[in-house]
Amino acid sequence: MSLALSGAARTPARRWRLPGTPGQIALALGIGAFLLAFLIVPVASVIYVAFTEKGTGAFTLVNFADFFRTDLFLRSFWNSFYVSAATVVLASVFALPLAYITTRFDFRGAVIVQTLGFLPLIMPPFVGAVSMQLLFGRNGTVNLLLMDWFGFRIPFMEGLNGVIFVQAIHYFPFILINLSAALRNIDRSMEEAAQNLGSSGMRLFRRIVLPLAMPGYVAGASLVFVKVFDDLATPLLLNVKDMLAPQAYLRVTSIGIADPMGYVISVVLIVVSVAAMWISALALKGRDYATTQRGGGGLARRRMRPWESAVAYGVVGLILLLVLAPHIGLLLLSFATIWSYSPLPDGFTVAHYGRVFGESSLYIKNTLIYATLAGSIDVVLGVAIAYLVLRTKLVGRQWLDWAAMAALAVPGVVLGIGYLRTFFGVHLPNGTPLATLWIVIVLALAIRRLPYALRACYAALQQISESLEEAAENLGATKARTVRRIVVPLMTGGILAGFVTSFATAAVELSATLMLVQSNADAPLAYGLYVFMQSAAGRGPGAALGVIAVLLVAACTLLSQYILDRNQKNRGAA
């Protein structure tokens, strides 16, 4: 006993230490509680209702059996799958020539082509759907001219064809951006080795170039598939209701939030979105796409022969004209007096803009408030999560990152249904359901756009050396003061870029807000656009509101790019 006591006395007792400071632990718990309340619980409630029996709460698979026994839901599932897959194919037809021509050849205007190719993303797809109806619909400009000149029409916008056409034009930039970046990073020596072995032309492209660029293509194609699969507003505006997202919305709005089938459809949407991302990762697993030289060097650019130049400019011009058609149509419609059964409007007016600013300024004001609050919440959470993950040793800190990024796989309509289910039964002291408050729309927008702001803040913090923080602390600064005076100011560029990205995308978000808006007084711009576009008389003002939305998002995108460029120059100068 005495030996044991003397041994214990010689060995200092091991003191249990917290994995971080109390402030860091409190911050992590606070963020975890926020994500739990406004992301995990609403989504979990959707999944729970889908697997439980109505009334008893007992576990059951009957709801899913009913789903697969109902012809409408099965047809909606296959329609959604078909539209998503066909959109990927058509978007690839648009993106592949633009990416290859501008990266493979000496092509004048390559920067302009890449910039114009990005423009479709700054217009909500459901807004473009209306202008596409006027240009490519049964009695639209193109078909009226075809009928007059050749005596036939082409069903561009009939049924599912219209959804595929509009979605491909809107989302093809995802493939263009990722594929162009992948082509620029290909190791030039690989191409030269293939040429030395006798490969050229299409064989070189098919056997060497395309396989090496596959990671970029798969990343863009999977994003297009997921975005189209859970899109709600475009099919509704084109009166295509036998798709999954519209069916989920119609079940909840027509039958009520107690109907289990809306939740079953939501679970199917989540499963397919996650499966699409998983399959895209699986497709590249086990393959080596690494280049041996830094940055790859890109493909060797070559000069085109005259006939090749003529073909290339023709193809690029035709694609750009097609993908910019929604913008042209929207602008014409916003100034049109009457545009029906004629190739162009009968006359022009600015009255629609006067009506928008006179009667619908509330939509614009609400959008500015909601998007600003959502962007602010996102950058605060983004900075905090990035700091906890990169600068602390807290147990489970990586889960905060994963939980926040999981919002990417949750369709907007699912989050909206989850919020209704979770918060409609929570009442304020005056009896008002929490789900009817406008702040719930802000929280939904913040959760939906959190991944964008988080990645921007994460990248900004990764570029700051920890030695700067250590130097500040060695000079006596506390941890909190170091973060406030050193870390946050150095992250300014990334924080602003994250805020602008979150703001711009939240300003045109419709899927979640369509479920959560309870009164016109609380409606944002995207909801107002949707309401206007429902009637023929409202399409002029709706187009004017759409032009304002496009300008708003374009200004934010340019501001974001300006901030990033200036940040890069400042870092280069330093």
Side-chain angles (χ1 to χ4, degrees), residues 241-253:
K241 296 176 181 174
D242 49 353
M243 290 179 67
L244 276 188
Q247 279 300 316
Y249 170 74
L250 292 172
R251 294 290 297 199
V252 170
T253 54

Side-chain angles (χ1 to χ4, degrees), residues 52 113 161 275 305 374 380 390 416 428 452 490:
T52 52
V113 170
N161 289 349
R305 286 169 283 192
V380 169
L390 293 174
L428 298 177
Y452 302 148
L490 288 173

Side-chain angles (χ1 to χ4, degrees), residues 327-516:
H327 299 76
I328 298 168
L330 188 71
L331 192 62
L332 286 174
L333 182 60
S334 71
F335 287 106
T337 51
I338 298 175
W339 190 1
S340 181
Y341 295 98
S342 61
L344 289 173
D346 295 342
F348 294 96
T349 178
V350 294
H352 301 317
Y353 286 91
R355 183 179 168 188
V356 166
F357 284 111
E359 300 177 11
S360 308
S361 57
L362 183 65
Y363 294 140
I364 302 172
K365 187 188 82 174
N366 286 344
T367 298
L368 292 175
I369 293 173
Y370 297 171
T372 302
L373 288 175
S376 303
I377 292 171
D378 285 343
V379 293
V380 169
L381 290 176
V383 170
I385 294 173
Y387 184 83
L388 291 173
V389 172
L390 293 174
R391 294 293 193 265
T392 71
K393 303 294 183 188
L394 286 178
V395 176
R397 62 192 183 284
Q398 197 66 47
W399 282 96
L400 294 176
D401 189 13
W402 293 338
M405 291 304 296
L408 271 180
V410 180
V413 65
V414 175
L415 195 66
I417 292 173
Y419 274 40
L420 287 177
R421 180 76 192 182
T422 307
F423 302 123
F424 209 81
V426 180
H427 292 81
L428 298 177
N430 63 0
T432 305
L434 186 60
T436 61
L437 299 182
W438 63 268
I439 193 67
V440 174
I441 302 173
V442 173
L443 293 169
L445 293 175
I447 288 292
R448 287 272 291 159
R449 305 308 172 195
L450 177 58
Y452 302 148
L454 173 58
R455 293 275 61 90
C457 296
Y458 199 94
L461 186 57
Q462 278 181 316
Q463 292 178 315
I464 300 174
S465 171
E466 288 187 56
S467 61
L468 295 173
E469 298 162 54
E470 292 168 359
E473 290 175 22
N474 289 337
L475 291 171
T478 62
K479 185 69 77 178
R481 185 179 173 85
T482 302
V483 171
R484 193 174 69 251
R485 300 293 297 272
I486 303 294
V487 177
V488 172
L490 288 173
M491 290 177 66
T492 303
I495 292 171
L496 285 175
F499 174 81
V500 172
T501 306
S502 179
F503 177 95
T505 51
V508 293
E509 160 73 30
L510 180 65
S511 297
T513 52
L514 198 57
M515 304 294 302
L516 296 172

Side-chain angles (χ1 to χ4, degrees), residues 63-365:
N63 297 330
F64 286 89
D66 289 341
F67 175 88
F68 288 106
R69 278 199 298 259
T70 308
D71 290 340
L72 173 62
F73 297 141
L74 276 182
R75 187 169 67 250
S76 299
F77 175 82
W78 287 115
N79 282 347
S80 294
F81 190 86
Y82 165 72
V83 166
S84 303
T87 300
V88 170
V89 173
L90 187 57
S92 302
V93 171
F94 294 150
L96 267 170
L98 292 184
Y100 188 67
I101 291 172
T102 54
T103 54
R104 179 71 176 85
F105 301 101
D106 284 328
F107 188 83
R108 286 186 180 178
V111 176
I112 296 175
V113 170
Q114 292 279 345
T115 306
L116 290 177
F118 182 76
L119 277 184
L121 280 183
I122 66 172
M123 175 189 283
F126 64 93
V127 176
V130 175
S131 55
M132 292 292 282
Q133 279 278 29
L134 292 168
L135 292 173
F136 295 97
R138 180 172 177 77
N139 295 306
T141 304
V142 173
N143 272 323
L144 286 175
L145 294 176
L146 285 175
M147 197 66 195
D148 284 346
W149 294 344
F150 305 107
F152 68 88
R153 289 185 173 92
I154 299 176
F156 294 106
M157 301 293 293
E158 303 292 324
L160 298 180
N161 289 349
V163 183
I164 294 168
F165 195 30
V166 172
Q167 302 279 33
I169 284 179
H170 180 72
Y171 288 118
F172 91 94
F174 282 127
I175 297 178
L176 174 66
I177 294 167
N178 286 286
L179 186 60
S180 298
L183 288 171
R184 291 192 194 98
N185 284 332
I186 289 177
D187 189 345
R188 189 174 300 173
S189 63
M190 302 289 287
E191 182 190 14
E192 292 169 353
Q195 288 173 330
N196 290 337
L197 292 171
S199 182
S200 62
M202 280 305 295
R203 182 180 172 83
L204 176 67
F205 174 79
R206 185 167 51 85
R207 301 293 296 273
I208 303 297
V209 175
L210 190 58
L212 287 174
M214 197 52 75
Y217 175 75
V218 171
S222 59
L223 271 177
V224 172
F225 186 93
V226 170
K227 287 283 185 184
V228 176
F229 198 84
D230 64 37
D231 187 39
L232 167 65
T234 304
L236 281 181
L237 265 174
L238 294 175
N239 204 28
V240 176
K241 296 176 181 174
D242 49 353
M243 290 179 67
L244 276 188
Q247 279 300 316
Y249 170 74
L250 292 172
R251 294 290 297 199
V252 170
T253 54
S254 61
I255 299 178
I257 58 173
D259 176 54
M261 202 48 67
Y263 299 88
V264 172
I265 298 172
S266 300
V267 170
V268 174
L269 287 171
I270 295 173
V271 169
V272 173
S273 298
V274 173
M277 303 301 287
W278 177 69
I279 290 171
S280 68
L282 202 64
L284 304 176
K285 189 176 180 182
R287 300 170 189 266
D288 186 9
Y289 297 93
T291 58
T292 55
Q293 65 183 88
R294 188 174 183 272
L299 296 171
R301 289 177 180 267
R302 75 173 177 85
R303 191 182 297 275
M304 287 185 284
R305 286 169 283 192
W307 70 269
E308 289 177 330
S309 292
V311 172
Y313 277 103
V315 170
V316 170
L318 184 63
I319 293 174
L320 286 183
L321 187 64
L322 204 55
V323 300
L324 295 179
H327 299 76
I328 298 168
L330 188 71
L331 192 62
L332 286 174
L333 182 60
S334 71
F335 287 106
T337 51
I338 298 175
W339 190 1
S340 181
Y341 295 98
S342 61
L344 289 173
D346 295 342
F348 294 96
T349 178
V350 294
H352 301 317
Y353 286 91
R355 183 179 168 188
V356 166
F357 284 111
E359 300 177 11
S360 308
S361 57
L362 183 65
Y363 294 140
I364 302 172
K365 187 188 82 174

